[in-house]
Amino acid sequence: MQKTTQIYGLRAIIEAVNANEEIDKVFLQKGLKGDLMKELEGLLRRNEINMVYVPVEKLNRLTKSNHQGAVANISPISFHSLEDLVEKVNKKEGPALFLLLDQLSDVRNFGAIIRTAECTGVDGIIVQKKGAAPVTADTIKTSAGAAYRVPIAKVDHLKDAVFYLQASGIKIVSATEKTDDSVYDVPFTNSIAIVMGAEDRGITPSILKASDYRAKLPLLGEIESLNVSVACAVFLYEAVRQRL
């Protein structure tokens, strides 16, 4: 199995960005100054690459090598553009099935969702560049390799992706407890995109407002929510059930 490539050093990361490597996330040392650091920060912002400032102790745990205050993870997969992905899917026979993940940050949940997506015939997964879980070795392992099979698109803003999908004839179904409608009452037979939110925050209000449908799962116990990967599986298999 291909693992996430970790690179370190200010100049090395600058060269990787300029070489159009698929960089998921860059860890930068808090308070570090200098011309190279400024150059790297500007480059990351212009390319809208996710970066986070951390204490030097965090960087020392990430690598034993001389990191110079910067460590980056290069994704083991290539990402697709939203426009190309939608165009390709709309040319195939049958209704489209997309999955949008709104600020999902846990790599193992991400991997489990990718695995279920592959098993249920999802045409593509759409995530936001900033704030989303990276595709790491743990993601690949948890997905049982499905991350190599399901196309994943990264977008600047998930709300813009919602509008683009709707303009392409795809209805948006948001999984949320903020509704009286059950998942079993929503039509999944046409082209749809299911939105799953992060466990701690749920779906962004603006995306929820823009959705064509909102649907919840019936919860008969005392616990108020399911793990997001489990809830996602229920939604996807309801789509499969209705399409059989």
Side-chain angles (χ1 to χ4, degrees), residues 37-228:
M37 175 61 86
K38 289 181 179 178
E39 181 181 347
L40 176 56
E41 289 171 324
L43 193 60
L44 295 175
R45 291 191 184 98
R46 288 194 298 274
N47 287 272
E48 298 182 324
I49 295 172
N50 193 15
M51 61 178 170
V52 59
Y53 294 92
V54 298
V56 66
E57 290 80 9
K58 169 70 174 180
L59 298 175
N60 293 338
R61 288 196 296 271
L62 290 174
T63 179
K64 301 297 184 183
S65 302
N66 180 20
H67 50 70
Q68 299 176 316
V71 177
N73 286 335
I74 297 179
S75 172
I77 68 169
S78 295
F79 295 98
H80 299 251
S81 78
L82 176 63
E83 294 79 7
D84 291 345
L85 179 57
V86 172
E87 181 180 359
K88 180 179 178 181
V89 171
N90 278 342
K91 288 180 180 178
K92 77 176 185 67
E93 293 185 10
L97 179 58
F98 288 99
L99 188 59
L100 286 81
L101 304 181
D102 184 13
Q103 303 293 297
L104 187 72
S105 58
D106 186 276
V107 294
R108 290 181 178 83
N109 276 336
F110 191 16
I113 286 173
I114 297 171
R115 182 174 184 173
T116 304
E118 199 279 333
C119 291
T120 53
V122 168
D123 294 304
I125 297 174
I126 302 163
V127 299
Q128 192 163 285
K129 289 180 180 178
K130 291 186 177 181
V135 178
T136 66
D138 280 340
T139 313
I140 300 293
K141 181 177 180 181
T142 310
S143 78
Y148 295 121
R149 297 179 177 271
V150 181
I152 301 175
K154 278 191 170 185
V155 297
D156 293 331
H157 304 289
L158 208 62
K159 185 179 177 181
D160 291 339
V162 166
F163 292 145
Y164 186 85
L165 290 169
Q166 289 172 324
S168 303
I170 299 165
K171 300 292 185 181
I172 307 298
V173 181
S174 285
T176 175
E177 294 303 306
K178 299 174 182 178
T179 182
D180 294 326
D181 297 327
S182 168
V183 62
Y184 305 117
D185 298 325
V186 173
F188 287 94
T189 51
N190 296 319
S191 292
I192 61 159
I194 299 170
V195 185
M196 304 300 301
E199 284 185 306
D200 55 345
R201 297 186 301 273
I203 296 173
T204 303
S206 60
I207 294 177
L208 206 56
K209 184 178 180 180
S211 301
D212 297 289
Y213 301 98
R214 302 179 189 182
K216 67 179 181 180
L217 295 174
L219 298 174
L220 307 182
E222 296 183 6
I223 296 176
E224 296 181 352
S225 66
L226 292 169
N227 173 277
V228 64

Side-chain angles (χ1 to χ4, degrees), residues 4 7 53 62 229 236:
T4 301
I7 56 176
Y53 294 92
L62 290 174
S229 66
L236 289 174

